[in-house]
Amino acid sequence: MERLAQRRRITGFSVPHKLEGEMRYKIDPDSDRVFIEEFRRNPVGNHSPGLMRVLNTLRYDPSGRQIVLFCRKPFAEWQIGEMPADRREPLVFEDSPIFTNRDEAEWEIFRRRWRAATGEDINLPLKSPENA
């Protein structure tokens, strides 16, 4: 019980019971919007517990399909693909864009997952340390 109370203090959210076949958390566009800016500033690396909750929720797709990032050339090129629900099927890759910056690629994945989860578009460019 103490761990639940501690988690509530850290994230600001209660931990509902997990129902069979359902995601434990839901995205609330109004209260979770604060984590968009945190992700923009730091797409790769350590994240707050609240942002980790949002990311874990966004990564789940009840259809079984997932938007994924594929590294075409180590540290040089990334491409967006879709992993099908049937994992025996091959990944389907988009022809473009090909990203040369991992943070930009991660930001695009985040934006697409946010739109899929909330129906809202994020019409903001990545805010990297270079242009912050």
Side-chain angles (χ1 to χ4, degrees):
M1 196 63 158
E2 176 59 33
R3 293 188 74 208
L4 179 60
Q6 181 182 11
R7 182 175 291 167
R8 211 174 271 140
R9 283 191 300 272
I10 292 172
T11 64
F13 294 92
S14 62
V15 181
H17 296 288
K18 184 173 183 175
L19 301 174
E20 189 64 37
E22 288 189 26
M23 214 26 217
R24 179 174 286 189
Y25 298 109
K26 302 289 185 206
I27 300 289
D28 177 3
D30 294 327
S31 62
D32 290 334
R33 192 168 283 112
V34 297
F35 300 114
I36 293 173
E37 189 59 33
E38 179 183 345
F39 190 85
R40 281 179 73 203
R41 286 192 309 268
N42 185 28
V44 178
N46 295 326
H47 299 120
S48 71
L51 178 54
M52 289 177 65
R53 175 188 55 80
V54 168
L55 292 174
N56 287 333
T57 304
L58 292 177
R59 289 176 183 138
Y60 173 76
D61 186 330
S63 72
R65 297 187 325 265
Q66 290 181 317
I67 299 170
V68 296
L69 192 58
F70 176 76
C71 182
R72 292 169 37 118
K73 294 181 184 174
F75 309 104
E77 287 185 2
W78 293 265
Q79 186 174 11
I80 294 175
E82 183 178 297
M83 189 167 26
D86 183 347
R87 299 300 193 245
R88 295 171 294 188
E89 298 289 323
L91 294 175
V92 177
F93 295 102
E94 295 181 4
D95 293 331
S96 64
I98 304 298
F99 296 92
T100 57
N101 177 300
R102 181 178 172 194
D103 287 350
E104 290 281 351
E106 295 284 356
W107 176 238
E108 180 61 23
I109 294 286
F110 181 90
R111 290 172 32 158
R112 290 182 188 200
R113 289 175 175 166
W114 182 270
R115 182 177 47 235
T118 68
E120 294 181 357
D121 286 321
I122 301 173
N123 296 318
L124 300 169
L126 174 71
K127 185 186 281 186
S128 64
E130 295 85 37
N131 61 12

